[in-house]
C-alpha cells in the first residue's frame, strides 16, 4: 500500500545583521548615462539630434539596459535604435560602461561600509585583527546593477 514518510530538514539559521541602501544611485543612473553617451555619439557621427525625440529616447533606454546586461558577460555591445528614418548604432566597451558606473561603484562601497558599521561587524579580511567582532560571511546584493562586474569588484574590494 501507499507509504508516508516524514522528513525533517534542518534549515540553516540566517540573521540579518543590518541593511543599508543608497536610493540616489542605481542601475537606472547607469542606463541614463548610457543613453546620454549614445545621444552624444549619434549627434557627433550622424549630425542628428535625438534628444527631443521622446520615442527614440525610450527605445535608446531599452537598448541601453540590454547593452548593460550584455557587457556583464562580454567586452563590447551595441546600442541600436531606428529613428528619423535611419538606423543608429553605438558600440560600447566594458571599460566605457565601468567608467559610467563609477559613481554606482563608489556608492556600493559606501553602503557596504555603512552596513558593516551598523552590524558592528568586520569583513572576513579583518577577522583575525578584531577579537570578538562578528564576521560577515555573506553579503546579498539586490537590484539590476549588481550583475555588473565592476559593482561586484567594488564590493569585494570593500570586504
Amino acid at each position: 500500500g501507499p507509504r508516508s514518510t516524514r522528513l525533517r530538514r534542518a534549515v540553516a539559521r540566517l540573521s540579518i545583521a543590518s541593511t543599508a541602501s543608497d536610493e540616489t544611485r542605481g542601475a537606472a543612473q547607469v542606463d541614463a548615462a548610457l543613453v546620454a553617451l549614445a545621444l552624444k555619439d549619434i549627434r557627433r557621427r550622424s549630425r542628428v539630434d535625438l534628444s527631443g525625440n521622446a520615442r527614440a529616447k525610450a527605445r535608446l533606454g531599452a537598448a541601453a539596459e540590454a547593452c548593460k546586461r550584455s557587457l556583464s558577460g562580454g567586452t563590447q555591445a551595441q546600442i541600436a535604435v531606428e529613428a528619423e528614418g535611419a538606423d543608429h548604432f553605438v558600440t560600447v566597451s566594458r571599460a566605457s560602461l565601468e567608467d559610467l558606473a563609477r559613481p554606482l561603484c563608489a556608492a556600493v562601497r559606501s553602503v557596504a561600509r555603512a552596513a558593516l558599521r551598523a552590524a558592528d561587524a568586520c569583513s572576513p579580511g579583518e577577522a583575525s585583527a578584531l577579537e570578538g567582532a562578528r564576521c560577515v560571511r555573506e553579503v546579498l546584493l539586490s537590484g539590476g546593477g549588481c550583475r555588473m562586474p565592476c559593482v561586484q569588484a567594488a564590493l569585494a574590494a570593500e570586504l
Side-chain angles (χ1 to χ4, degrees), residues 105-132:
C105 294
V108 165
R109 292 182 79 153
S110 175
V111 167
R113 281 192 297 271
L116 286 170
R117 276 194 308 275
D120 192 27
C122 64
S123 65
E126 299 172 317
S128 59
L130 300 173
E131 287 294 319

Side-chain angles (χ1 to χ4, degrees), residues 39-157:
L39 286 170
K40 183 179 175 183
D41 191 64
I42 291 168
R43 187 173 34 249
R44 180 183 58 81
R45 290 190 303 121
S46 303
R47 305 214 189 287
V48 174
D49 186 5
L50 298 177
S51 61
N53 185 331
R55 290 181 70 189
K57 283 175 62 176
R59 286 193 298 262
L60 275 172
E65 188 175 345
C67 174
K68 183 181 65 185
R69 278 194 306 272
S70 293
L71 287 171
S72 291
T75 58
Q76 274 193 331
Q78 279 195 334
I79 296 174
V81 65
E82 186 279 322
E84 300 190 10
D87 292 330
H88 304 281
F89 298 93
V90 178
T91 300
V92 181
S93 69
R94 183 185 280 185
S96 295
L97 176 68
E98 289 177 358
D99 192 43
L100 294 173
R102 193 167 289 136
L104 175 61
C105 294
V108 165
R109 292 182 79 153
S110 175
V111 167
R113 281 192 297 271
L116 286 170
R117 276 194 308 275
D120 192 27
C122 64
S123 65
E126 299 172 317
S128 59
L130 300 173
E131 287 294 319
R134 293 183 299 168
C135 185
V136 174
R137 287 180 287 172
E138 187 172 51
V139 174
L140 300 175
L141 294 177
S142 65
C146 64
R147 264 190 304 265
M148 294 173 29
C150 63
V151 170
Q152 293 172 359
L155 181 62

